[in-house]
């Protein structure tokens, strides 16, 4: 460890020697990044052009797409630059900015997924009251709360970490994260780590509980409905459940990798695996792309899917009476 003078930059040591593989890794990350951009922009454009898709479900998914673009842009260009660079150095300010982007991206993603589960719960369990409960005004209120609340939380976390006096400048990852910076502190950070863990546990518990309760209630309603209605409801909720599971697995892996000694594992391939899963977070987008290259048929496909969903909701409601 170095002395406790002010640290103005960090060195990312996990890249190792990429002399013979740097162009291969660069190509893979670039292709994945372009794929993420293409899939998400296509979905946003389709929903924007088709007025009948201006419904809460698709608006929430558009927000997920925007968040995917935000998160991937915070990481991929940085990776592309460092893969071809001989010195993997990042300034302290840039490191803190990167931490803010990563943490806010994760917080936005999880909170939007939680609100989406509530939206499906209201849509399937209370179809007649759905337009009132999920009115445009309430939608705007939810979006404001999602972004303001999570930005406020991330700023508090970042302000606590940025005020620490550091005794080292080597981060054993390919990008900056909060825990790696905290580990470089000269002083004991036990109380700070306890605060971070409690904050994380409370957030995860409340949001996971809401997601579980929403889908359990949906499952209970589906049991009373016809088999056809059950199949349609499952088809409606499956994409969101896949997104939740995919994001949960990736986040869990990242937390384990940060908290435990993972030096014996090949960091770069693992990171590429995470990027690959990130590009598959939106099964609906993938199905639109694979279905037909004609964007007008994409509109028709999503439009028909939405109409079938509304008919399913009414049928399930009448069956449960």
């Amino acid at each position: 460890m170095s002395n406790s003078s002010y640290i103005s930059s960090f060195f990312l040591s996990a890249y190792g020697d990429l002399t013979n593989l740097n162009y291969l890794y660069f190509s893979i990350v670039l292709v994945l990044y372009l794929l993420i951009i293409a899939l998400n922009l296509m979905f946003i454009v389709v929903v924007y052009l088709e007025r009948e898709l201006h419904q809460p479900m698709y608006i929430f998914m558009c927000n997920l797409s925007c968040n995917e673009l935000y998160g991937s842009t915070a990481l991929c260009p940085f990776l592309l630059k460092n893969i071809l660079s001989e010195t993997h150095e990042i300034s302290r300010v840039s490191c803190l900015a990167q931490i803010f982007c990563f943490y806010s991206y994760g917080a936005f993603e999880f909170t939007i997924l939680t609100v989406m589960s509530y939206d499906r719960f209201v849509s399937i369990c209370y179809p007649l009251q759905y337009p009132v409960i999920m009115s445009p005004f309430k939608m705007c209120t939810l979006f404001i709360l999602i972004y303001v609340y999570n930005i406020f939380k991330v700023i508090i976390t970042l302000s606590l970490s940025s005020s620490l006096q550091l005794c080292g400048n080597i981060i054993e990852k390919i990008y900056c994260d909060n825990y790696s910076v905290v580990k470089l502190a000269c002083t004991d950070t036990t109380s700070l780590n306890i605060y971070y863990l409690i904050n994380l546990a409370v957030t995860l518990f409340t949001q996971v509980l809401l997601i579980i309760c929403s889908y359990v209630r949906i499952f209970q309603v589906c049991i009373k409905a016809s088999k056809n209605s059950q199949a349609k409801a499952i088809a409606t909720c499956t994409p969101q459940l896949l997104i939740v599971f995919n994001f949960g697995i990736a986040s869990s892996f990242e937390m384990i990798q940060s908290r435990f000694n993972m030096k014996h594992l090949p960091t770069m391939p693992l990171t590429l695996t995470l990027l690959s899963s990130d590009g598959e977070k939106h099964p609906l987008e993938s199905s639109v792309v694979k279905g037909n290259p004609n964007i007008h048929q994409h509109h028709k496909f999503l439009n028909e899917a939405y109409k079938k969903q509304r008919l399913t909701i009414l049928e399930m409601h009448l069956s449960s009476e």
Side-chain angles (χ1 to χ4, degrees), residues 42-182:
M42 178 173 291
F43 182 76
I44 293 171
V45 169
V46 168
V47 174
Y48 175 77
L49 294 177
E50 183 56 66
R51 293 186 60 85
E52 292 191 23
L53 295 179
H54 295 179
Q55 303 294 331
M57 174 182 174
Y58 296 104
I59 294 175
F60 283 128
M61 295 196 76
C62 280
N63 272 264
L64 277 181
S65 293
C66 292
N67 194 46
E68 291 294 333
L69 293 173
Y70 166 64
S72 60
T73 301
L75 176 62
C76 292
F78 176 78
L79 287 180
L80 293 172
K81 170 182 172 295
N82 275 352
I83 288 172
L84 298 181
S85 175
E86 295 182 358
T87 60
H88 308 119
E89 184 178 6
I90 181 172
S91 67
R92 185 167 184 168
V93 173
S94 298
C95 183
L96 294 175
Q98 193 175 75
I99 294 172
F100 174 83
C101 292
F102 289 164
Y103 276 60
S104 57
Y105 157 75
F108 294 154
E109 187 92 352
F110 197 33
T111 308
I112 293 172
L113 290 173
T114 304
V115 175
M116 285 176 67
S117 68
Y118 175 74
D119 171 72
R120 291 299 85 209
F121 160 72
V122 176
S123 177
I124 293 176
C125 299
Y126 301 97
L128 300 182
Q129 294 87 1
Y130 180 72
V132 177
I133 296 176
M134 299 301 292
S135 64
F137 174 77
K138 291 181 180 178
M139 286 278 295
C140 293
T141 303
L142 281 173
F143 284 129
I144 293 173
L145 290 176
I146 287 172
Y147 291 108
V148 172
Y149 169 71
N150 286 300
I151 288 175
F152 180 72
K153 282 182 58 179
V154 174
I155 288 177
I156 292 177
T157 298
L158 202 60
S159 63
L160 292 174
S161 302
S162 61
S163 62
L164 293 173
Q165 188 176 23
L166 305 180
C167 287
N169 65 342
I170 297 178
I171 295 178
E172 297 172 350
K173 298 191 73 171
I174 61 174
Y175 56 87
C176 290
D177 78 318
N178 188 61
Y179 186 67
S180 297
V181 174
V182 172

Side-chain angles (χ1 to χ4, degrees), residues 120 124 215 218-219 221-223 225-239 241 308-309 312-313 316:
R120 291 299 85 209
I124 293 176
Y215 284 106
I218 290 172
F219 177 74
V221 172
C222 289
I223 292 177
S226 64
K227 291 185 178 180
N228 186 39
S229 298
Q230 292 175 7
K232 291 180 179 179
I234 291 174
T236 300
C237 296
T238 297
L241 286 173
K308 289 179 180 179
Q309 175 196 346
T312 299
I313 292 170
M316 291 174 58

Side-chain angles (χ1 to χ4, degrees), residues 5 32 34 69 78 127 132 151 168 172 185 216 224 240 265 321:
S5 59
L32 290 173
L34 294 177
L69 293 173
F78 176 78
V132 177
I151 288 175
E172 297 172 350
V216 167
K224 301 177 183 179
Q240 295 181 20
L265 294 178
E321 290 293 333

